[in-house]
Amino acid sequence: MGLLPEIKNRFSVRHFKNVPLDPEKLSRILEAGRLAPSAKNRQPWRFLVVDDPEIKSKISSAAYGQQHVQDAGAVIVACSTNIEYIMPNGQPAYPIDITFAVSFMMLQAEKEGYGSCIVTMFNENTVHNILTLPYSMRVVIMLAVGEKDEEPTHTDRKPTSQVISFNHW
Ligand SMILES: Cc1cc2nc3c(=O)[nH]c(=O)nc-3n(C[C@H](O)[C@H](O)[C@H](O)COP(=O)(O)O)c2cc1C
């Protein structure tokens, strides 16, 4: 079975109980991100945990008032410390690196019994200012994590036949 139960159970949680996260669970979630792979093992990331209600509220405003950002126990703001590395395939590494780390954290959050939601709808400059980030850093993704306050709703996926093929298109 491996990780499939966590992968199947996970869904984007947009209603959280506004309660703090358990520090040990949070630390395992962050550890999952820290251990994620990155291109050339550059680890071009920094994860800022926003659990202060006042700062969370500002971040929620910067995310156009998304209530789940306000109500999450913590919002993990995943930033890139270096955006320069272009991989041999010609594509920038940093959004992919950050996405791997956030994916790992998301699955660990599920394992810990928490819900999570990826948040990309935010004003990057505003978040940058709120968190006093160095000029060169980019805010790539935020992950809202917290105690679920809703029933699971699983969205559909395209069928295997449409998304997977072997050897030829
Ligand atoms: C790159 C990316 C950006 C997303 N941005 C947001 C967002 O800003 N706000 C939000 O509520 N959900 C966001 N989501 C969540 C998606 O809407 C959600 O994953 C998708 O509809 C599938 O639903 P599920 O996660 O419940 O399986 C984002 C997901 C991804 C992968």
Side-chain angles (χ1 to χ4, degrees), residues 7-14 63-64 66 68-69 99 106 116-122 140-142 150 153-157:
I7 291 170
K8 284 185 173 167
N9 289 338
R10 186 213 60 83
F11 65 100
S12 289
V13 173
R14 298 191 177 89
Y64 307 102
Q66 291 178 83
H68 48 294
V69 176
T99 302
M106 207 165 59
S116 68
C117 190
I118 298 162
V119 178
T120 52
M121 195 174 73
F122 57 84
V140 182
I141 302 181
M142 306 201 288
E150 65 179 270
T153 40
H154 291 288
T155 49
D156 288 340
R157 293 295 185 265

Side-chain angles (χ1 to χ4, degrees), residues 29-42:
I29 292 167
L30 295 167
E31 183 68 349
R34 190 182 73 82
L35 295 175
S38 60
K40 281 198 167 177
N41 199 23
R42 290 162 58 93

Side-chain angles (χ1 to χ4, degrees), residues 72-109:
V75 179
I76 301 169
V77 182
C79 302
S80 178
T81 53
N82 185 303
I83 62 169
E84 313 228 302
Y85 181 57
I86 306 291
M87 299 180 292
N89 66 6
Q91 297 170 19
Y94 80 94
I96 297 172
D97 292 335
I98 300 287
T99 302
F100 269 107
V102 171
S103 304
F104 279 31
M105 288 194 264
M106 207 165 59
L107 288 180
Q108 187 63 31

